[in-house]
Amino acid sequence: MNEYPRFLTPTLLPYDPLELVSTTEKIVSKDSQRKYTNFYCTGVYGGISTGYTVGCCLRCIFCWVDFSREFPEDYGEFYSPEEVFKRLTENAQTNKLSKLRISGGEPTLCKNHLLKLLKLIEETDYLFVLETNGILLGANLGYAEALGQYSHFHLRLSLKAGTPESFQKRTGAKGEFFELPFQAIKNLMKNNIDFHLAVMSDPRLMPQEERKVLLQKLKQLGYDDYLEEEICDPYETTITRLKKAAEHYEL
């Protein structure tokens, strides 16, 4: 990777998301520490204590997270798994919440950090919610196997598109990597991991025909559980990314 991909623009060449994982981890991880920008509580999932991570391996045009995605070197501070655990549980106790998560960037980056954090949470009664784009879980069966050992655990896998062409257009990643999130679904099923799928199927972004193709693909995989269909909200960061991509959607 010659130049770190920032915003998805008409001139950005499609990139290898697994190479971007490696490049980003060199910026956002140090030993078992990872960069975070904030720890807070939010009302999603019925109330959850959240750590906001830095760094992602996709450049989705509809993404809502702050610009630490594009400029990970400029945002956040390093925290150990023990420090993250302490911040998450203290906020949960203060707000009488029973769920924890890390969000913002891509939580499956910095695998060693995540697994150490999960090991600490496993000794509690908290439910940990892992949100992911599925790239690493599709590329590495062993990662899903490692997650399968945790019982206080639920995973939300977010699908970005229904075809390789749309995947490349909306994420900037090469279309040949489109199948990785679907391989992740297979790996999760194989390891009996509790999960559900989300998809950015907002009709302003995803044509109905593409949505039908995606639903058929999920049916062929044997997934017939809850599908969370997302709407693209007009966050300032989202609007900026859509403009940078020269995509004109009425949000």
Side-chain angles (χ1 to χ4, degrees):
M1 185 173 294
N2 296 323
E3 185 176 347
Y4 191 79
R6 308 289 182 178
F7 294 97
L8 199 171
T9 66
T11 59
L12 178 69
L13 295 176
Y15 58 85
D16 180 333
L18 296 178
E19 286 187 13
L20 186 52
V21 166
S22 178
T23 305
T24 301
E25 286 184 332
K26 292 175 183 177
I27 301 171
V28 305
S29 70
K30 183 171 58 177
D31 299 322
S32 63
Q33 296 180 317
R34 179 172 183 171
K35 272 189 166 188
Y36 289 76
T37 60
N38 197 9
F39 294 89
Y40 58 94
C41 295
T42 182
V44 298
Y45 300 106
I48 196 164
S49 176
T50 301
Y52 198 102
T53 61
V54 176
C56 188
C57 56
L58 294 179
R59 293 292 179 261
C60 305
I61 57 175
F62 44 75
C63 182
W64 59 271
V65 306
D66 66 29
F67 295 127
S68 63
R69 189 192 78 170
E70 285 82 7
F71 304 98
E73 67 275 22
D74 296 334
Y75 289 80
E77 297 179 2
F78 288 100
Y79 291 85
S80 69
E82 292 79 12
E83 290 170 328
V84 174
F85 175 77
K86 185 173 185 292
R87 296 292 294 270
L88 290 175
T89 54
E90 285 181 347
N91 284 347
Q93 290 168 4
T94 299
N95 291 275
K96 296 182 173 55
L97 300 176
S98 61
K99 304 182 189 73
L100 314 174
R101 71 168 175 166
I102 55 176
S103 186
E106 171 51 43
T108 60
L109 267 64
C110 314
K111 177 182 176 183
N112 188 39
H113 173 90
L114 175 61
L115 295 181
K116 287 186 175 182
L117 176 59
L118 285 171
K119 186 174 181 180
L120 293 170
I121 295 171
E122 185 72 6
E123 301 303 315
T124 73
D125 291 328
Y126 290 105
L127 172 68
F128 184 81
V129 179
L130 178 65
E131 298 176 329
T132 179
N133 57 36
I135 294 295
L136 282 172
L137 298 183
N140 184 353
L141 174 59
Y143 205 158
E145 291 175 344
L147 295 177
Q149 66 183 296
Y150 299 105
S151 58
H152 300 173
F153 183 81
H154 178 79
L155 186 143
R156 175 186 183 269
L157 196 160
S158 177
L159 300 171
K160 312 302 181 182
T163 66
E165 297 76 17
S166 295
F167 177 78
Q168 181 169 303
K169 178 181 179 181
R170 296 190 199 119
T171 71
K174 293 179 180 177
E176 65 196 74
F177 294 94
F178 164 73
E179 290 292 341
L180 284 182
F182 297 96
Q183 181 60 47
I185 296 171
K186 296 178 184 178
N187 294 345
L188 294 172
M189 289 178 169
K190 182 176 181 178
N191 287 280
N192 298 312
I193 292 174
D194 182 41
F195 77 100
H196 80 274
L197 298 179
V199 58
M200 179 52 76
S201 58
D202 189 322
R204 295 169 296 180
L205 295 170
M206 179 182 286
Q208 284 300 307
E209 189 57 38
E210 181 186 343
R211 179 178 176 275
K212 291 178 182 178
V213 170
L214 174 62
L215 294 178
Q216 182 62 30
K217 189 173 183 66
L218 294 180
K219 183 178 180 180
Q220 291 172 349
L221 285 175
Y223 183 82
D224 57 2
D225 208 336
Y226 172 57
L227 181 64
E228 177 189 344
E229 301 206 48
E230 298 182 81
I231 295 296
C232 185
D233 292 319
Y235 291 96
E236 181 180 350
T237 47
T238 304
I239 301 252
T240 297
R241 288 174 177 128
L242 287 169
K243 288 181 178 178
K244 292 281 188 180
E247 297 291 347
H248 304 290
Y249 300 102
E250 294 296 329
L251 298 186

